Every structure is written in structure tokens, then in C-alpha cells.
Amino acid sequence: MSQTEQYEKCSWRFYLQRVERVTPRPAAWSHHGTAFHSAAEAFEKSGRSMSTEEAVEIFSDQYGDLTNAGLDRESDTDRWMSAGRYSGGEDIERRYVLGQEQTAYYVEWAKVNGPSIWKTPEGEPGLELYFLVELGGIEVRGYIDQLVTVKDAVRPRDLKTGSTKSKFQLQTYGIAVRKLYGVEVNDADWYLAKDGRLSRPVRLDQVSADDLGERYASMDAGVKAGDFPARPSYDCRFCDVSHACIFFSTKS
């Protein structure tokens, strides 16, 4: 999923990351998101019996481990990517606190709102659920953050600590769940950690497997043909391989 969207937005970035294997610049926001997901998953797998303090500790430990590993690879925090007005070092520090706050709020939110986690026919909870399906002749795989039960249907839910959201990702989740489990999937949503709430549901009943398959097949054909056009844009400032990009200085 992410590969297809990355190729569509800027094929040259795809080339640098996945063909040339350029070492990306580290970003605290990546560690923030990973640690938050781990804490939320552990809390849900505990049957929501885990305390707020325990969940926050899971976030803190993983964020610290990931950040320290990143600092081992790149000790100069001025070279770290960061958001807004913050320097790399400032962003590392603020996200540690922000992530703790968001984790604590998620625990309290989930205890009150109590989304019902769906279970597969084998009894596996719909938490970080792995899938592998074929779309457009391409094997598509990934992990779904959560599958929850809403009325008589299953709803994919993606947990977001940042502002970037992908309908294509949710659409892929919906098709995958239908294909693998034969259950009704009408919509999906995001849990927005920045706001401590759910997004409005995104309808999935108007997108077919063929529609998505065309996008995956188009990306695959472009890669096999060696077609990697650059698409300089505002997003270049958030590109973690821009330091190796010959087009970066001429971005629009």
C-alpha cells in the first residue's frame, strides 16, 4: 500500500528508497507512531485490564529504544527530520512527552468508549492483523491496526499520531477483510491521537477490488519498466531521502 502511494506521489523517491537503498534521515515522528501503536496494541490485548501507567511505560520504553538506536546511526540531531518550528533535538524531546500524554488519553478513551474488537473465525483478535491478498495480479500484504465490530459489520480502524491519512490504505483493508473472511465491511475510520477522537467513517462500499487492483498493477508495471519520474512538490520538505535527491533544490 505505502509503496504504491509513494510511487504515485514521487516515483523518484521510491527509486531512491527502494532501489538505490539510500539511508533515510531519522525522524522522531516515526518512533512516536511506532511506540504509540505498540502501547495501544498491548493495552487492547490485555482486555483493557492494563493500567494507564503500564501502557505509558510501554510507550516510553519503546520510544526510548528506537530513538537511541536512531541516535547511534545519526548522532547529529540537526540532521534529524522535524515538524514545524522545532529542531531535531527539540522534536525528539517533545514527542516523548506528547506520546505519553496521547497513550494515557487513549487508554481512558477506550475504557469509556469500549470499541468491540472483532475476532477472526480462529479466535484471533483483530489487532495488528496480518493479511496477504492478490489485487491486480499483485500480492499485497500488510497489518491492520484494529478491526472493530459496528452493528453487524466489521470496520477497519487505523491509529494515527500524525496528520497524514490515506483513504487508499483503508480501502485496501476493506477489500482484504472481505476477501479473507467473507464479512460485511461498509466503512472504516481513523483514531486521531492528536485530537483524542475518531474521524468520520470513510465509506468503502463504492470501491471494488478491480479499482484498487488497477493502481497496484500500474505501480508494478512502472517499476518493472524502470519508469521513475520525479514530482517535486511541497512534500519534498518531508522526504527522508531528499539529501540524496538531485531534484530537491529545484522543488516547486
Side-chain angles (χ1 to χ4, degrees):
M1 293 167 295
S2 60
Q3 292 186 35
T4 297
E5 287 195 296
Q6 184 185 78
Y7 182 85
E8 291 173 343
K9 289 179 180 178
C10 182
S11 304
W12 187 248
R13 179 180 181 180
F14 179 102
Y15 175 80
L16 292 176
Q17 286 190 332
R18 303 182 186 277
V19 180
E20 287 294 320
R21 302 292 182 180
V22 171
T23 301
R25 292 168 59 196
W29 65 62
S30 176
H31 305 328
H32 174 187
T34 299
F36 176 83
H37 279 73
S38 295
E41 180 187 6
F43 170 70
E44 294 291 355
K45 284 187 173 180
S46 76
R48 303 196 182 113
S49 63
M50 179 180 291
S51 70
T52 301
E53 292 74 18
E54 289 172 318
V56 170
E57 184 177 4
I58 290 173
F59 170 86
S60 303
D61 289 346
Q62 182 160 24
Y63 182 85
D65 290 344
L66 291 170
T67 300
N68 287 334
L71 288 168
D72 286 342
R73 293 189 295 272
E74 177 53 76
S75 60
D76 184 358
T77 57
D78 288 338
R79 290 182 55 81
W80 280 54
M81 302 185 70
S82 59
R85 64 184 184 276
Y86 302 99
S87 68
E90 290 170 338
D91 206 36
I92 290 172
E93 294 179 0
R94 81 179 186 94
R95 286 181 182 277
Y96 179 74
V97 176
L98 180 60
Q100 290 178 327
E101 293 171 348
Q102 291 175 343
T103 299
Y105 191 90
Y106 175 83
V107 169
E108 299 306 317
W109 173 87
K111 286 180 178 179
V112 172
N113 294 276
S116 177
I117 302 298
W118 180 77
K119 291 186 178 180
T120 70
E122 295 75 30
E124 182 180 0
L127 298 167
E128 291 295 328
L129 193 65
Y130 174 78
F131 69 87
L132 171 62
V133 294
E134 183 179 300
L135 293 171
I138 309 300
E139 285 193 344
V140 180
R141 67 190 70 208
Y143 290 87
I144 305 173
D145 289 347
Q146 295 182 354
L147 290 172
V148 301
T149 302
V150 178
K151 297 181 180 179
D152 295 325
V154 177
R155 175 182 290 178
R157 175 165 295 161
D158 196 38
L159 308 182
K160 302 299 296 184
T161 53
S163 56
T164 301
K165 301 187 291 294
S166 168
K167 287 186 179 180
F168 180 61
Q169 182 181 35
L170 295 184
Q171 291 166 349
T172 299
Y173 290 165
I175 296 296
V177 174
R178 290 192 198 114
K179 277 178 166 284
L180 293 174
Y181 301 107
V183 295
E184 183 178 355
V185 181
N186 300 318
D187 54 27
D189 61 22
W190 294 282
Y191 173 81
L192 307 173
K194 290 176 68 174
D195 303 320
R197 63 175 177 85
L198 295 177
S199 71
R200 292 182 178 180
V202 175
R203 291 185 61 181
L204 302 181
D205 55 356
Q206 297 179 329
V207 180
S208 70
D210 289 341
D211 293 332
L212 295 187
E214 289 181 5
R215 290 179 66 177
Y216 283 108
S218 178
M219 180 275 291
D220 185 66
V223 172
K224 289 178 178 176
D227 187 19
F228 300 104
R231 298 182 179 90
S233 71
Y234 175 82
D235 289 340
C236 289
R237 67 192 63 195
F238 305 110
C239 176
D240 55 4
V241 291
S242 61
H243 56 285
C245 179
I246 60 175
F247 303 100
F248 181 59
S249 62
T250 59
K251 65 182 182 298
S252 60

